[in-house]
Amino acid sequence: DNYVTLIKNDKKFPKEYKGHFHALYAEFYIKQGNGMYENAIKQLNEAIKYTKSKNVRARYHFILGQLYEEKNNHAKAMLNYKMVVKLKPAKYDLLFYARMREALMNKDPESIQNARHELYKMAKDFKNNDLLDVIYYTLGQMDESENKIDAAYTNYLLSAKKSINNSKQKAKSYLKLADISFETENYVPSSRFYDTTITLIKEDYPGYQDIKAKKISLDTLVKCLTIIKNQDSLQRIASMDTLAMRKFIKNIIQNVLEHEQDSIA
């Protein structure tokens, strides 16, 4: 802090380095956590004043957008994401993610419809092939915010399938699928989705212990459900007459043979 005060008060400190200085100071505050984000925001705004490069300014605006989101100030977050898009940075990923955040934060029905149209348009663009998982995940989030759970599930499933090189995004998509399946009482697929999520994340992943605990609980629940289902099936078979039982067993054998033939093919 003493060095920072010296630099701030030094009138001879080169003006061309002031932007970088304020950005470093902002990073120092960000690393200290949510309680210091307001200070980080002030420093980044100062950094933008002294920065000529539009690419660097775009990056600072994107970070500001993220900080304002963390503080639930969506209006200012949106303004900063719009600034990123307006500055058209050379780094395409930065522009892409700013558009994703902007699309997700739209609340006006007409704006939401336009954002959806833009996202589907981006999904068809070949240069976005490596980012399809993020596009479909964002569409899923938009669906969920409008309580369109079936549509959200479909888009999260597409996101998971399209995710090739981004294991972090793949984990987020499978986690959404697991949570939706759990909430809709589809416990067997939910258990499988949690299994996949656990294989894709590490112990430092946010909420890792909660995810693992839910997976373990679900494993137990699914075993119990399987036992109950099997018992119900056995009781149903036992109550059949001889002719119905033979027909039932014949159908099972036929299904197994057809499944084996499909597997070979």
Side-chain angles (χ1 to χ4, degrees):
D1 282 351
N2 290 334
Y3 288 116
V4 169
T5 305
L6 283 171
I7 292 170
K8 285 173 73 175
N9 295 331
D10 187 358
K11 294 180 181 179
K12 293 181 180 180
F13 186 77
K15 192 175 181 179
E16 62 267 29
Y17 295 124
K18 280 192 174 183
H20 189 55
F21 161 71
H22 286 292
L24 286 173
Y25 205 6
E27 187 179 353
F28 165 75
Y29 283 128
I30 290 169
K31 285 181 177 179
Q32 292 186 57
N34 194 284
M36 301 299 284
Y37 282 174
E38 196 61 51
N39 290 337
I41 287 168
K42 288 177 183 177
Q43 291 302 321
L44 278 171
N45 279 313
E46 286 298 309
I48 289 167
K49 290 179 186 176
Y50 293 103
T51 303
K52 291 182 179 180
S53 168
K54 70 172 188 176
N55 292 321
V56 179
R57 288 206 315 276
R59 182 160 60 87
Y60 293 161
H61 277 295
F62 185 81
I63 297 168
L64 276 170
Q66 290 180 305
L67 293 173
Y68 277 122
E69 269 199 84
E70 286 290 326
K71 292 180 69 62
N72 291 317
N73 190 334
H74 290 176
K76 286 190 176 180
M78 180 74 89
L79 282 173
N80 278 283
Y81 290 135
K82 283 182 180 294
M83 277 303 301
V84 176
V85 175
K86 187 178 179 180
L87 286 165
K88 297 179 181 178
K91 191 177 179 184
Y92 180 73
D93 282 11
L94 191 64
L95 181 62
F96 172 83
Y97 281 105
R99 282 176 171 167
M100 291 301 101
R101 298 312 305 165
E102 190 182 350
L104 191 58
M105 296 180 73
N106 275 315
K107 300 300 177 187
D108 173 63
E110 188 177 347
S111 297
I112 291 169
Q113 191 60 33
N114 290 337
R116 283 185 186 279
H117 177 74
E118 183 66 23
L119 287 170
Y120 282 119
K121 187 178 174 182
M122 290 174 73
K124 292 178 182 178
D125 192 337
F126 74 93
K127 72 181 175 185
N128 292 318
N129 283 349
D130 291 340
L131 298 165
L132 283 173
D133 51 357
V134 181
I135 293 173
Y136 285 117
Y137 184 82
T138 304
L139 283 165
Q141 288 180 293
M142 291 173 71
D143 290 328
E144 224 180 334
S145 69
E146 295 180 85
N147 206 31
K148 298 175 181 176
I149 304 304
D150 289 343
Y153 184 93
T154 299
N155 278 314
Y156 289 139
L157 197 58
L158 276 169
S159 175
K161 287 180 178 179
K162 297 293 183 181
S163 192
I164 300 168
N165 301 317
N166 191 343
S167 60
K168 187 176 179 180
Q169 178 58 65
K170 199 178 188 76
K172 286 170 69 177
S173 302
Y174 272 113
L175 183 56
K176 281 288 189 181
L177 289 166
D179 287 341
I180 289 175
S181 298
F182 184 83
E183 291 298 324
T184 52
E185 298 182 1
N186 291 311
Y187 299 122
V188 175
S190 180
S191 177
R192 290 201 298 266
F193 289 139
Y194 279 123
D195 280 341
T196 305
T197 304
I198 287 290
T199 63
L200 292 167
I201 61 177
K202 296 179 180 178
E203 290 188 15
D204 60 351
Y205 188 90
Y208 176 87
Q209 293 302 328
D210 289 338
I211 296 167
K212 189 175 180 180
K214 191 173 278 189
K215 172 203 167 319
I216 293 168
S217 298
L218 263 179
D219 287 346
T220 304
L221 176 60
V222 168
K223 282 179 184 177
C224 291
L225 290 172
T226 304
I227 291 167
I228 292 167
K229 185 179 178 182
N230 288 340
Q231 285 179 345
D232 285 347
S233 297
L234 288 170
Q235 288 172 10
R236 187 159 58 87
I237 294 166
S239 66
M240 290 178 180
D241 59 43
T242 304
L243 189 63
M245 190 181 293
R246 284 177 179 171
K247 187 178 179 181
F248 180 79
I249 293 169
K250 187 178 179 180
N251 284 337
I252 291 174
I253 293 169
Q254 185 63 35
N255 286 334
V256 170
L257 288 172
E258 287 175 2
H259 178 73
E260 286 179 350
Q261 285 173 356
D262 289 341
S263 298
I264 293 168

